[in-house]
Each structure stands twice: as structure tokens, then as C-alpha cells.
Amino acid sequence: MDSGAEPQPSPPDEKAWASLGAALFIDTSLSADGKVACATCHPPDAAFTDGKPVSRGVFDRTGTRNVPSLWGLASAREFFWDGRRASLETLMFDPLTTAEEHGMEGEEAVISSVQARYSAEFERLFPGRGATRETVSRVLAAYVRQQVPPPSPFEQFLSGDAQALRPEQRRGFALFTGRAGCARCHPPEGGAFTDGSYHAGEISAALIAKQAGAARELALLDPGARRAAVSARAEVAALGRYVVTLRASDLGRFRTPSLRNVAVTAPYMRDGSVPTLIQAVERELYYRLPEGLQVGDMTPSERSDIVAFLHSLTSPAASTGIGR
Ligand code: HEC
Ligand code: HEC
């Protein structure tokens, strides 16, 4: 096992790490049934998401959350819908050892599987260390960090090409940043359209009934058991940020998702409960309009302008491949 005090490799070679990470990313042998790779849920040719409401892992087990795209995470500071991890490196063994994802029996099992297939590659990149929790995490994180979405029409527009957006998309952008108030939580600055912060939303009535019990029970578990409960139990997943902080004010709060490529990453919301982009925008208008405004204050054509604008956030390479 890693002591955590090993010397840093020198010189760090992110590019070589990322290409080894790419091999691990598509390798189904790192799973309990030999059928699931990172790319099963995060297919690179479909904006790194799977088009399902919630994830499907080994033995067809379902998770509790909608699979986020992995594009543009180099600048993210917290990860997962509840922000329960603070770096790409620390989260990598979560999918590998989660029963509903790769389902490997613990970290040692992952490391020996990696050793069995990639010991030469790891030895070359990390002489004297080989595959460890730390080096496996590093190569996967390097791969993810490299995934930058190709420029969208909106980015071309920002860099001076006025024709890159159709008139309705420009009107939609004005509403998005103006009267509809979307940019309060989905700011365009930085390109990801997320404030990286946590906000309360809608919870289904069926889950509300189970929440209080789940919240009490959760407070007694250690952090590892709490994380495992998120992907196993919908009523725990619905507690949101509370699972991380155990503060009542964080009950049902979720991290604002990026809207880059949102037009090709249906279905929507942390639980995949909203099938189409139009419905997602309607729901956001209903729950999150600035104070004093009601959803009826936006005309149907204004709503469709907002949807048209969101389509301008799609990278050219991402517009195909969905619906698999
Ligand atoms: C069975 C489906 C599945 C597999 C396999 C899977 N993931 Fe995920 N991934 C998810 C889901 C679902 C989430 C969101 C979980 C949550 O928020 O609780 C997620 C979240 C992530 C995130 C955080 C993204 C963000 O915006 O916060 C990263 C990074 C990630 N996965 C990388 C990987 C890597 C690398 C692998 C392979 C080692 C992998 N995943 C395997 C389903 C999967
Ligand atoms: C108060 C903060 C806030 C405001 C204002 C806001 N959003 Fe959101 N948005 C969120 C959060 C948080 C989520 C995730 C909610 C969930 O999963 O339940 C989200 C989810 C979404 C999604 C689904 C994305 C996905 O990948 O699942 C879309 C689309 C969206 N918002 C568009 C908009 C639009 C358009 C507006 C303006 C009308 C808007 N939002 C206003 C915080 C906000």
C-alpha cells in the first residue's frame, strides 16, 4: 500500500500519465463482472455521459444518480453532485470499488488487477513504485483533466464571430443573463456555467417521507459508509450536500451542474428525472426565477429562446453519439 510519503516522480509527465489513464479508462477487466469500464458510463464519443436517468454498473445494478459529463473538469474544485470529493485524485477509487459501478472488492483487488496487466507501463512511468493507489489515481486523473470540450458556437461568438449565434440564441443569452436570472448560478464566466455552489431544489414526495429517518441514520455512519450509501439508496442520495456536512441547512442541496453540452446530455438533474431540455428549462423557470417573477411572466417564445441559447453550448464533436 501507499504510504503517502513517497518521493514525487520527476519530471512529472502528465501526457504520458494521461495515455496510460486512457487505457485504464476503457478497460473492462477492472470490474467485478468483467463488463464495465469508466467508458461504459462515461463514453468519450457521447460527451462522457450515458443517456440513462441513473447509472448502470456491474451485474446491471442501478445507481442513484445521473452520470455527469467529464468534460472541462480541470478547473472544478469539488466533485460529484454533492461535492463529496475535493480532487480528481482522491475520487478515482470510488467508482472502482462502488458496488453499483465497477464493484471491485476493495482497493487491493483493483491494484492487483492493474498490476496484472500494466505492471511494465507503471514501472516505466513510476520507477520503483509501479501501480499503487496513488499512481493509479494519478494516471486516471491526468486523463480526465485532459478532456476539454471543443469550442462551441457560443465560444466562437464570444471571441468575436457575431454570426456564430442565431438571433433567437442571442435573445436567449440576454434572457439567461438578464431577466430569467439563470446566470446567478450558471455564470457564463469561465465557460462552465456553474457557480460550483449548492442549491436546494425539488424533492419527490415519496422521498420526503423517508428523508428524516435516512438523515438520522446517516449521522451515525463513518464517511466511507456514508459515501457508499449515496450510490446504494435513493433516499440517501436525495439528502444531497447534507451527506458531506451533516448540516440541516444542506439537506437537499446539490452542486450546480455545468451547462456545457447540456443539449446532448439528456436526461437531466441529479436523479435523471427530467427527460428533455425543454422540460429542464421549464422546471428551472418554475423553481428558480428571481423573486417577484413567475414562470407565466416568460412567454413561450422567450422560453424557447433560452432553450435555443443552451443549444449554442454544444461542441461540434458532441452533437452525435447520444441516445445509445
Ligand atoms: C456505473 C457507472 C459509472 C462508472 C463505471 C464510472 N462512473 Fe464516474 N460517475 C458516475 C456517476 C453516477 C457519477 C455521479 C455520482 C454522484 O454525484 O454521486 C460519476 C461521477 C464521476 C466524476 C465526477 C464528475 C463531476 O462533475 O463531479 C468523475 C471525475 C468520474 N465519475 C470519473 C470516473 C472514472 C475515472 C471512472 C472509472 C474509474 C468512472 N467514473 C466510472 C457513474 C459511473
Ligand atoms: C439558485 C441557483 C440556480 C438558478 C438561478 C438556476 N439554476 Fe439551473 N440548476 C441549478 C442546480 C442546483 C441544478 C441541479 C438541480 C438538480 O439536479 O436537482 C440545476 C440544473 C439545471 C439544468 C439541468 C442540467 C443537467 O445537466 O442536469 C438546466 C438545463 C438548468 N439548470 C438551466 C437553468 C436555466 C435555464 C436557468 C434560468 C431560468 C437556471 N437553470 C437557473 C441551479 C440553478
Side-chain angles (χ1 to χ4, degrees), residues 66 81 176 180-182 184-186 199 254-259 262 265 267-271 277 280-281 283-285 288-289 306 310:
N66 185 248
W81 284 95
F176 186 91
C182 313
R184 283 178 295 150
C185 302
H186 299 285
H199 303 280
F254 291 89
R255 195 164 60 100
T256 310
S258 167
L259 298 183
V262 71
T265 59
Y268 300 103
M269 309 302 169
R270 81 272 178 172
D271 55 1
L277 185 58
V281 169
R283 207 179 90 148
E284 291 295 276
L285 284 168
R288 305 197 202 268
L289 273 180
I306 295 177
L310 293 178

Side-chain angles (χ1 to χ4, degrees), residues 16-186:
W17 293 357
S19 57
L20 181 50
L24 264 53
F25 195 84
I26 57 171
D27 191 338
T28 55
S29 74
L30 305 177
S31 69
D33 65 357
K35 291 184 181 161
V36 170
C38 310
T40 307
C41 300
H42 300 287
D45 61 352
F48 292 93
T49 181
D50 64 357
K52 302 187 172 93
V54 294
S55 61
R56 286 268 178 83
V58 288
F59 307 113
D60 224 20
R61 291 179 192 146
T62 50
T64 55
R65 294 231 166 117
N66 185 248
V67 177
S69 171
L70 301 185
W71 256 330
L73 289 182
S75 56
R77 293 284 155 265
E78 286 171 324
F79 300 88
F80 297 132
W81 284 95
D82 49 21
R84 64 187 181 277
R85 289 293 192 183
S87 75
L88 285 172
E89 277 79 2
T90 51
L91 71 73
M92 285 305 165
F93 274 66
D94 292 350
L96 291 165
T97 57
T98 292
E100 295 78 17
E101 298 183 356
H102 292 242
M104 297 291 280
E105 293 283 337
E107 295 178 0
E108 291 300 338
V110 175
I111 292 163
S112 34
S113 282
V114 174
Q115 277 291 12
R117 294 172 62 94
Y118 302 96
S119 62
E121 288 85 346
F122 273 90
E123 198 48 43
R124 191 156 41 81
L125 293 182
F126 305 98
R129 305 169 72 192
T132 64
R133 181 188 159 96
E134 195 195 338
T135 59
V136 170
S137 298
R138 279 209 181 163
V139 300
L140 281 168
Y143 171 73
V144 170
R145 214 167 263 130
Q146 265 199 350
Q147 307 311 316
V148 176
S152 64
F154 177 69
E155 281 157 347
Q156 288 164 342
F157 174 77
L158 284 188
S159 55
D161 177 4
Q163 300 311 309
L165 294 196
R166 299 191 306 271
E168 66 271 28
Q169 294 180 313
R170 268 176 267 163
R171 288 197 301 270
F173 178 51
L175 287 164
F176 186 91
T177 50
R179 197 150 58 89
C182 313
R184 283 178 295 150
C185 302
H186 299 285

